[in-house]
Amino acid sequence: MDGLAQGFMTSEQVPGAIAAVVSGEEVVLRGYGVADLDDRTPVTPDDVRFEIGSITKLFTWVAVMMLVEEGRLDLRADVSGYLPTFAMPGSEPLTLAHLMSHRAGFAESYAIFDQDIAALPRAQALAAAAPEQVFARGEVTSYSNWGAALAGHIVEEVSGQPWEDFVQERILDPLGMDETTLAERLRQPDQPPLARSYRIQGGIAHPAFRIDIGAFGPAGGTASTAADMARFLQFLMGDGALDGARLLQTETMAQMRTRLFDDRPHAADMAHGFQARPRFGTMIYGHGGGVNEFISNLVFIPEIGAGVFISQNGGTGASLPFLAPNMILAALAAEAGLEAHTVQPVPDAAARAADAAGRYLTNRRMFSGPAQLLVALSPLNVTALADGALLMPTATIPMPSRFDPIAPDLWQNAQGDRVTVIRDAQGQVARLADGTGAHTHERLRGLADPVWLSAGFALAALLATTTFLGLLWRHGLRGGSRGGTLAAAVALAGAVAVWGLVAAGVAVGLVAARLGSEFLFDQPQRTFEVFLGMGDVVAVVSVALVATLLIVWRAPGWGLWRRLHHTAFALVLVGLAGLMLHWGLAFGGPI
């Protein structure tokens, strides 16, 4: 642990970190680096808290299972019965099984990061941030913070206690997690301070832009110490009790390690809220988290009583919280005699890899409005190799990783991560499930691929430039007639609009690179508003430009090449406008 921390923290400029390794009865606690770069406060395992982000969801799922044990919740029942006055998104019945497995079919909801919405009472905040249902219930894994927050609201409505009180009294207090806070506003004077977190840019650490997710706390509002998280690890790996305090029955703990949907048993998926990933010839469970530049991970193998928790308060990468736990568990698994299953050759591996190759977009995204662009900028590229292997990036390794075939439609890399493809009724690859178990990625086909948006921008910019050059060549508009001059003026307006859009896009990129997550969460950003406004202008001008085509082909004094150029510019511009409308970049409303 010490060696990995030293190496990764140096290479990725991590200011500070906390760690807990549990192996049987042995518990190793560590603090590394500093909690505050200004006063150089050293990190210790029990005197400073780190935000653990989405690991908070595990407390919510334990609370749900407590109420299931008591007969007050049913994982397969429509949750509308527990919240009769709440309007659920979508038209199909929604269950806790869907929420725990991230299969409710919800789009992403960035509104949960809106500070005004997060400050509302939970029911109001959930209603204000409610996402679209974009997939049928149970069919597609699409990670949802909003869904976890809804589960927290169900807990409090059924129990009659606020979620924070329920988790504090029934989970944290019995487990002796005295230094853990469920929201910063609930911190007691005798509890440790929160470490500062940092965004690293150009080799310089800047204090992180901070948000308080408030009402959405059941999805990620917790901060804890290494010592407290070691106790939580011990509980999660056990039979439902810790040091004489029983929270769940043994059968319930075993149930939590099973999957509510088992359509990809040999690949990663969700198990009652845990990320469940085949590795080392067994299954490892856990959850990751990231908020306010804190990055955290908790993983464990219950059958050998081995688990790791690591959190860092910034850095240029996430190797320490995500690679280091796997390396430690690999050593402990080998000590315990666990071995990976023997891989059998896959006869049609090359053909299956060719089927899987292509471009994908994560299903954890917005499906309407300008926020669609955030995911469109970074599609997942999967390349097939001649021997049936796949080459693709992962969340933990920045460069593409090689995944070798280990079974039909199943591939594994050297770190043990597995990916699989999911086929539709016709046998075509519809989506890819990655190695996290929490995310799937939709196969891009035709105009749904954002590459066409990039091509549209490029062609429009090229033709806008040649329109300017034509203006210089002719020393003015020179339309040959009043109508022809008007058409030339509209083309010039289109060229100005396109280059205004390009300039606004460059400004957006520069500001986003400078601000990091602040650009997304501190809305409205003026540069992005200008960019969207220019998208509206381009859409309007494109219609006007198409309307001039009849004039251009009849106007005197226009040569064939000029007419063709004007026509091409009009068609490209209207095509770009259509793509921008599709991606919410024109008349798409606020982010």
Short mmCIF file of all heavy atoms in Angstrom, two decimals, residues 453-508:
data_model
loop_
_atom_site.label_atom_id
_atom_site.label_comp_id
_atom_site.label_asym_id
_atom_site.label_seq_id
_atom_site.Cartn_x
_atom_site.Cartn_y
_atom_site.Cartn_z
N LEU A 453 -21.79 15.57 -36.74
CA LEU A 453 -21.85 16.95 -36.25
C LEU A 453 -20.50 17.64 -36.47
O LEU A 453 -20.44 18.78 -36.93
CB LEU A 453 -22.22 16.96 -34.77
CG LEU A 453 -22.37 18.32 -34.10
CD1 LEU A 453 -23.52 19.11 -34.72
CD2 LEU A 453 -22.60 18.16 -32.60
N SER A 454 -19.42 16.91 -36.18
CA SER A 454 -18.08 17.46 -36.41
C SER A 454 -17.85 17.72 -37.89
O SER A 454 -17.29 18.76 -38.28
CB SER A 454 -17.02 16.49 -35.88
OG SER A 454 -17.19 16.26 -34.51
N ALA A 455 -18.29 16.77 -38.73
CA ALA A 455 -18.13 16.95 -40.18
C ALA A 455 -18.94 18.14 -40.66
O ALA A 455 -18.48 18.91 -41.53
CB ALA A 455 -18.58 15.67 -40.90
N GLY A 456 -20.14 18.32 -40.11
CA GLY A 456 -20.96 19.46 -40.49
C GLY A 456 -20.30 20.78 -40.13
O GLY A 456 -20.30 21.73 -40.93
N PHE A 457 -19.72 20.86 -38.94
CA PHE A 457 -19.00 22.07 -38.54
C PHE A 457 -17.83 22.33 -39.48
O PHE A 457 -17.60 23.47 -39.90
CB PHE A 457 -18.48 21.93 -37.10
CG PHE A 457 -19.47 22.28 -36.04
CD1 PHE A 457 -19.87 21.35 -35.11
CD2 PHE A 457 -20.03 23.55 -35.97
CE1 PHE A 457 -20.80 21.66 -34.12
CE2 PHE A 457 -20.96 23.88 -34.99
CZ PHE A 457 -21.34 22.93 -34.07
N ALA A 458 -17.07 21.27 -39.79
CA ALA A 458 -15.89 21.45 -40.63
C ALA A 458 -16.27 21.93 -42.03
O ALA A 458 -15.66 22.87 -42.57
CB ALA A 458 -15.11 20.14 -40.70
N LEU A 459 -17.28 21.29 -42.65
CA LEU A 459 -17.69 21.69 -43.99
C LEU A 459 -18.26 23.10 -44.00
O LEU A 459 -17.99 23.90 -44.91
CB LEU A 459 -18.73 20.70 -44.52
CG LEU A 459 -18.20 19.39 -45.08
CD1 LEU A 459 -19.35 18.45 -45.41
CD2 LEU A 459 -17.35 19.65 -46.32
N ALA A 460 -19.07 23.42 -42.98
CA ALA A 460 -19.65 24.76 -42.92
C ALA A 460 -18.56 25.81 -42.77
O ALA A 460 -18.62 26.88 -43.41
CB ALA A 460 -20.64 24.85 -41.76
N ALA A 461 -17.56 25.53 -41.93
CA ALA A 461 -16.45 26.48 -41.76
C ALA A 461 -15.67 26.64 -43.05
O ALA A 461 -15.26 27.76 -43.41
CB ALA A 461 -15.54 26.01 -40.63
N LEU A 462 -15.45 25.53 -43.78
CA LEU A 462 -14.72 25.60 -45.06
C LEU A 462 -15.49 26.45 -46.05
O LEU A 462 -14.92 27.35 -46.70
CB LEU A 462 -14.51 24.19 -45.60
CG LEU A 462 -13.89 24.10 -46.99
CD1 LEU A 462 -12.49 24.68 -47.00
CD2 LEU A 462 -13.88 22.65 -47.49
N LEU A 463 -16.79 26.19 -46.21
CA LEU A 463 -17.58 26.93 -47.20
C LEU A 463 -17.79 28.37 -46.77
O LEU A 463 -17.93 29.26 -47.62
CB LEU A 463 -18.91 26.21 -47.43
CG LEU A 463 -18.77 24.87 -48.15
CD1 LEU A 463 -20.08 24.11 -48.16
CD2 LEU A 463 -18.28 25.08 -49.59
N ALA A 464 -17.84 28.62 -45.46
CA ALA A 464 -17.92 30.00 -45.00
C ALA A 464 -16.66 30.76 -45.38
O ALA A 464 -16.71 31.93 -45.80
CB ALA A 464 -18.11 30.03 -43.49
N THR A 465 -15.51 30.10 -45.26
CA THR A 465 -14.23 30.72 -45.63
C THR A 465 -14.18 31.03 -47.12
O THR A 465 -13.78 32.12 -47.54
CB THR A 465 -13.07 29.80 -45.24
OG1 THR A 465 -13.12 29.54 -43.84
CG2 THR A 465 -11.73 30.42 -45.60
N THR A 466 -14.60 30.06 -47.94
CA THR A 466 -14.58 30.30 -49.39
C THR A 466 -15.61 31.35 -49.79
O THR A 466 -15.42 32.04 -50.80
CB THR A 466 -14.83 28.98 -50.16
OG1 THR A 466 -16.04 28.37 -49.68
CG2 THR A 466 -13.67 28.02 -49.96
N THR A 467 -16.68 31.49 -49.01
CA THR A 467 -17.64 32.57 -49.27
C THR A 467 -16.98 33.93 -49.04
O THR A 467 -17.15 34.86 -49.84
CB THR A 467 -18.88 32.42 -48.36
OG1 THR A 467 -19.54 31.20 -48.68
CG2 THR A 467 -19.85 33.58 -48.55
N PHE A 468 -16.21 34.05 -47.98
CA PHE A 468 -15.45 35.28 -47.71
C PHE A 468 -14.45 35.54 -48.84
O PHE A 468 -14.30 36.68 -49.31
CB PHE A 468 -14.71 35.18 -46.38
CG PHE A 468 -15.57 35.38 -45.18
CD1 PHE A 468 -15.57 34.46 -44.15
CD2 PHE A 468 -16.37 36.51 -45.05
CE1 PHE A 468 -16.36 34.64 -43.03
CE2 PHE A 468 -17.16 36.70 -43.93
CZ PHE A 468 -17.17 35.76 -42.91
N LEU A 469 -13.76 34.49 -49.27
CA LEU A 469 -12.77 34.66 -50.33
C LEU A 469 -13.43 35.11 -51.63
O LEU A 469 -12.88 35.94 -52.37
CB LEU A 469 -12.01 33.34 -50.54
CG LEU A 469 -11.12 32.89 -49.39
CD1 LEU A 469 -10.51 31.53 -49.69
CD2 LEU A 469 -10.02 33.93 -49.15
N GLY A 470 -14.61 34.56 -51.91
CA GLY A 470 -15.36 34.98 -53.10
C GLY A 470 -15.75 36.45 -53.03
O GLY A 470 -15.73 37.17 -54.03
N LEU A 471 -16.11 36.88 -51.84
CA LEU A 471 -16.46 38.29 -51.66
C LEU A 471 -15.26 39.17 -51.97
O LEU A 471 -15.38 40.21 -52.64
CB LEU A 471 -16.92 38.50 -50.20
CG LEU A 471 -17.36 39.92 -49.82
CD1 LEU A 471 -18.68 40.27 -50.47
CD2 LEU A 471 -17.48 40.03 -48.29
N LEU A 472 -14.07 38.76 -51.49
CA LEU A 472 -12.86 39.53 -51.78
C LEU A 472 -12.53 39.50 -53.27
O LEU A 472 -12.11 40.51 -53.85
CB LEU A 472 -11.69 38.97 -50.96
CG LEU A 472 -11.79 39.13 -49.44
CD1 LEU A 472 -10.64 38.41 -48.76
CD2 LEU A 472 -11.80 40.61 -49.05
N TRP A 473 -12.71 38.37 -53.90
CA TRP A 473 -12.39 38.20 -55.33
C TRP A 473 -13.26 39.11 -56.20
O TRP A 473 -12.78 39.70 -57.16
CB TRP A 473 -12.61 36.73 -55.71
CG TRP A 473 -12.38 36.43 -57.16
CD1 TRP A 473 -13.31 36.36 -58.16
CD2 TRP A 473 -11.12 36.17 -57.78
NE1 TRP A 473 -12.72 36.06 -59.36
CE2 TRP A 473 -11.37 35.94 -59.16
CE3 TRP A 473 -9.80 36.09 -57.31
CZ2 TRP A 473 -10.36 35.65 -60.06
CZ3 TRP A 473 -8.79 35.81 -58.22
CH2 TRP A 473 -9.07 35.58 -59.57
N ARG A 474 -14.54 39.22 -55.79
CA ARG A 474 -15.47 40.03 -56.59
C ARG A 474 -15.52 41.48 -56.13
O ARG A 474 -16.29 42.28 -56.67
CB ARG A 474 -16.88 39.43 -56.50
CG ARG A 474 -17.03 38.12 -57.25
CD ARG A 474 -18.46 37.62 -57.19
NE ARG A 474 -18.86 37.26 -55.82
CZ ARG A 474 -18.62 36.09 -55.28
NH1 ARG A 474 -17.98 35.16 -55.98
NH2 ARG A 474 -18.99 35.83 -54.05
N HIS A 475 -14.74 41.82 -55.08
CA HIS A 475 -14.72 43.19 -54.54
C HIS A 475 -16.12 43.63 -54.11
O HIS A 475 -16.53 44.77 -54.35
CB HIS A 475 -14.15 44.19 -55.55
CG HIS A 475 -12.77 43.85 -56.01
ND1 HIS A 475 -11.66 43.94 -55.19
CD2 HIS A 475 -12.32 43.38 -57.21
CE1 HIS A 475 -10.59 43.58 -55.87
NE2 HIS A 475 -10.96 43.22 -57.10
N GLY A 476 -16.87 42.74 -53.49
CA GLY A 476 -18.21 43.08 -53.01
C GLY A 476 -19.20 41.99 -53.31
O GLY A 476 -18.85 40.90 -53.79
N LEU A 477 -20.47 42.27 -53.02
CA LEU A 477 -21.50 41.25 -53.18
C LEU A 477 -21.76 40.93 -54.66
O LEU A 477 -21.84 39.77 -55.05
CB LEU A 477 -22.80 41.71 -52.50
CG LEU A 477 -22.72 41.87 -50.98
CD1 LEU A 477 -24.02 42.42 -50.43
CD2 LEU A 477 -22.40 40.53 -50.31
N ARG A 478 -21.99 41.99 -55.49
CA ARG A 478 -22.17 41.83 -56.94
C ARG A 478 -23.08 40.65 -57.27
O ARG A 478 -22.65 39.63 -57.78
CB ARG A 478 -20.83 41.66 -57.64
CG ARG A 478 -19.97 42.91 -57.54
CD ARG A 478 -18.77 42.84 -58.45
NE ARG A 478 -17.98 44.05 -58.35
CZ ARG A 478 -16.92 44.32 -59.12
NH1 ARG A 478 -16.53 43.43 -60.03
NH2 ARG A 478 -16.25 45.44 -58.97
N GLY A 479 -24.35 40.84 -57.04
CA GLY A 479 -25.30 39.76 -57.26
C GLY A 479 -25.92 39.73 -58.63
O GLY A 479 -26.67 38.80 -58.94
N GLY A 480 -25.63 40.72 -59.49
CA GLY A 480 -26.18 40.71 -60.85
C GLY A 480 -27.58 41.28 -60.92
O GLY A 480 -28.05 41.64 -61.99
N SER A 481 -28.27 41.31 -59.82
CA SER A 481 -29.62 41.87 -59.74
C SER A 481 -29.90 42.14 -58.27
O SER A 481 -29.14 41.75 -57.39
CB SER A 481 -30.66 40.91 -60.32
OG SER A 481 -30.76 39.75 -59.50
N ARG A 482 -31.03 42.79 -58.01
CA ARG A 482 -31.37 43.05 -56.62
C ARG A 482 -31.55 41.74 -55.84
O ARG A 482 -31.07 41.59 -54.73
CB ARG A 482 -32.65 43.89 -56.55
CG ARG A 482 -33.05 44.29 -55.14
CD ARG A 482 -34.25 45.21 -55.14
NE ARG A 482 -33.95 46.46 -55.85
CZ ARG A 482 -34.85 47.43 -56.08
NH1 ARG A 482 -36.10 47.26 -55.67
NH2 ARG A 482 -34.50 48.52 -56.72
N GLY A 483 -32.24 40.78 -56.48
CA GLY A 483 -32.43 39.49 -55.83
C GLY A 483 -31.12 38.74 -55.64
O GLY A 483 -30.87 38.13 -54.60
N GLY A 484 -30.26 38.79 -56.68
CA GLY A 484 -28.97 38.12 -56.58
C GLY A 484 -28.10 38.73 -55.51
O GLY A 484 -27.38 38.01 -54.78
N THR A 485 -28.15 40.07 -55.38
CA THR A 485 -27.37 40.73 -54.34
C THR A 485 -27.89 40.35 -52.96
O THR A 485 -27.11 40.14 -52.01
CB THR A 485 -27.44 42.26 -54.52
OG1 THR A 485 -26.91 42.59 -55.81
CG2 THR A 485 -26.63 42.96 -53.44
N LEU A 486 -29.22 40.23 -52.84
CA LEU A 486 -29.81 39.80 -51.56
C LEU A 486 -29.34 38.40 -51.21
O LEU A 486 -28.98 38.12 -50.06
CB LEU A 486 -31.33 39.85 -51.66
CG LEU A 486 -32.08 39.31 -50.43
CD1 LEU A 486 -31.77 40.15 -49.19
CD2 LEU A 486 -33.59 39.28 -50.70
N ALA A 487 -29.32 37.50 -52.22
CA ALA A 487 -28.87 36.13 -51.97
C ALA A 487 -27.41 36.11 -51.53
O ALA A 487 -27.03 35.37 -50.61
CB ALA A 487 -29.05 35.29 -53.23
N ALA A 488 -26.58 36.94 -52.16
CA ALA A 488 -25.17 37.02 -51.78
C ALA A 488 -25.03 37.55 -50.36
O ALA A 488 -24.17 37.10 -49.59
CB ALA A 488 -24.40 37.89 -52.77
N ALA A 489 -25.89 38.52 -49.99
CA ALA A 489 -25.84 39.07 -48.64
C ALA A 489 -26.24 38.02 -47.61
O ALA A 489 -25.64 37.95 -46.52
CB ALA A 489 -26.76 40.29 -48.55
N VAL A 490 -27.23 37.19 -47.94
CA VAL A 490 -27.63 36.13 -47.03
C VAL A 490 -26.49 35.12 -46.86
O VAL A 490 -26.22 34.64 -45.75
CB VAL A 490 -28.91 35.43 -47.52
CG1 VAL A 490 -29.23 34.21 -46.66
CG2 VAL A 490 -30.08 36.39 -47.50
N ALA A 491 -25.79 34.81 -47.97
CA ALA A 491 -24.64 33.89 -47.87
C ALA A 491 -23.55 34.49 -46.99
O ALA A 491 -22.93 33.78 -46.17
CB ALA A 491 -24.08 33.60 -49.26
N LEU A 492 -23.33 35.81 -47.12
CA LEU A 492 -22.33 36.46 -46.28
C LEU A 492 -22.77 36.40 -44.81
O LEU A 492 -21.94 36.14 -43.92
CB LEU A 492 -22.15 37.91 -46.72
CG LEU A 492 -21.17 38.74 -45.88
CD1 LEU A 492 -19.78 38.15 -45.91
CD2 LEU A 492 -21.16 40.19 -46.38
N ALA A 493 -24.05 36.61 -44.55
CA ALA A 493 -24.56 36.52 -43.18
C ALA A 493 -24.37 35.09 -42.64
O ALA A 493 -24.02 34.91 -41.46
CB ALA A 493 -26.04 36.89 -43.14
N GLY A 494 -24.58 34.10 -43.50
CA GLY A 494 -24.34 32.72 -43.08
C GLY A 494 -22.89 32.48 -42.73
O GLY A 494 -22.59 31.79 -41.74
N ALA A 495 -21.98 33.03 -43.54
CA ALA A 495 -20.55 32.85 -43.27
C ALA A 495 -20.16 33.52 -41.96
O ALA A 495 -19.40 32.96 -41.15
CB ALA A 495 -19.73 33.43 -44.42
N VAL A 496 -20.70 34.72 -41.72
CA VAL A 496 -20.41 35.42 -40.46
C VAL A 496 -20.95 34.61 -39.28
O VAL A 496 -20.29 34.46 -38.24
CB VAL A 496 -21.02 36.82 -40.47
CG1 VAL A 496 -20.92 37.47 -39.09
CG2 VAL A 496 -20.33 37.69 -41.51
N ALA A 497 -22.17 34.06 -39.44
CA ALA A 497 -22.78 33.28 -38.36
C ALA A 497 -21.96 32.02 -38.07
O ALA A 497 -21.75 31.66 -36.90
CB ALA A 497 -24.20 32.90 -38.74
N VAL A 498 -21.48 31.36 -39.12
CA VAL A 498 -20.69 30.14 -38.92
C VAL A 498 -19.41 30.46 -38.17
O VAL A 498 -19.05 29.78 -37.20
CB VAL A 498 -20.39 29.47 -40.27
CG1 VAL A 498 -19.32 28.39 -40.09
CG2 VAL A 498 -21.65 28.86 -40.84
N TRP A 499 -18.72 31.51 -38.59
CA TRP A 499 -17.47 31.82 -37.92
C TRP A 499 -17.70 32.40 -36.52
O TRP A 499 -16.87 32.24 -35.62
CB TRP A 499 -16.61 32.75 -38.78
CG TRP A 499 -15.84 31.92 -39.76
CD1 TRP A 499 -16.05 31.81 -41.10
CD2 TRP A 499 -14.77 31.04 -39.46
NE1 TRP A 499 -15.19 30.91 -41.66
CE2 TRP A 499 -14.38 30.41 -40.68
CE3 TRP A 499 -14.11 30.68 -38.30
CZ2 TRP A 499 -13.35 29.48 -40.75
CZ3 TRP A 499 -13.08 29.75 -38.37
CH2 TRP A 499 -12.71 29.16 -39.57
N GLY A 500 -18.85 33.04 -36.33
CA GLY A 500 -19.21 33.43 -34.97
C GLY A 500 -19.44 32.22 -34.09
O GLY A 500 -19.04 32.20 -32.92
N LEU A 501 -20.07 31.19 -34.66
CA LEU A 501 -20.29 29.94 -33.93
C LEU A 501 -18.96 29.26 -33.60
O LEU A 501 -18.75 28.78 -32.48
CB LEU A 501 -21.16 29.00 -34.77
CG LEU A 501 -21.52 27.65 -34.14
CD1 LEU A 501 -22.44 27.85 -32.94
CD2 LEU A 501 -22.19 26.76 -35.19
N VAL A 502 -18.04 29.25 -34.58
CA VAL A 502 -16.72 28.65 -34.35
C VAL A 502 -15.97 29.41 -33.25
O VAL A 502 -15.38 28.80 -32.34
CB VAL A 502 -15.90 28.63 -35.65
CG1 VAL A 502 -14.45 28.23 -35.38
CG2 VAL A 502 -16.53 27.67 -36.65
N ALA A 503 -15.99 30.73 -33.33
CA ALA A 503 -15.29 31.53 -32.31
C ALA A 503 -15.89 31.29 -30.93
O ALA A 503 -15.16 31.16 -29.94
CB ALA A 503 -15.38 33.02 -32.68
N ALA A 504 -17.22 31.22 -30.86
CA ALA A 504 -17.86 30.95 -29.57
C ALA A 504 -17.49 29.56 -29.06
O ALA A 504 -17.27 29.36 -27.86
CB ALA A 504 -19.38 31.09 -29.70
N GLY A 505 -17.41 28.60 -29.99
CA GLY A 505 -17.02 27.25 -29.59
C GLY A 505 -15.61 27.20 -29.04
O GLY A 505 -15.34 26.50 -28.05
N VAL A 506 -14.69 27.93 -29.67
CA VAL A 506 -13.32 28.00 -29.15
C VAL A 506 -13.30 28.63 -27.77
O VAL A 506 -12.60 28.15 -26.86
CB VAL A 506 -12.43 28.78 -30.13
CG1 VAL A 506 -11.06 29.06 -29.52
CG2 VAL A 506 -12.28 28.03 -31.45
N ALA A 507 -14.08 29.68 -27.59
CA ALA A 507 -14.15 30.33 -26.28
C ALA A 507 -14.69 29.38 -25.22
O ALA A 507 -14.18 29.32 -24.10
CB ALA A 507 -15.02 31.58 -26.36
N VAL A 508 -15.71 28.60 -25.59
CA VAL A 508 -16.26 27.62 -24.66
C VAL A 508 -15.20 26.61 -24.25
O VAL A 508 -15.03 26.28 -23.07
CB VAL A 508 -17.48 26.89 -25.28
CG1 VAL A 508 -17.85 25.66 -24.46
CG2 VAL A 508 -18.66 27.83 -25.37
#
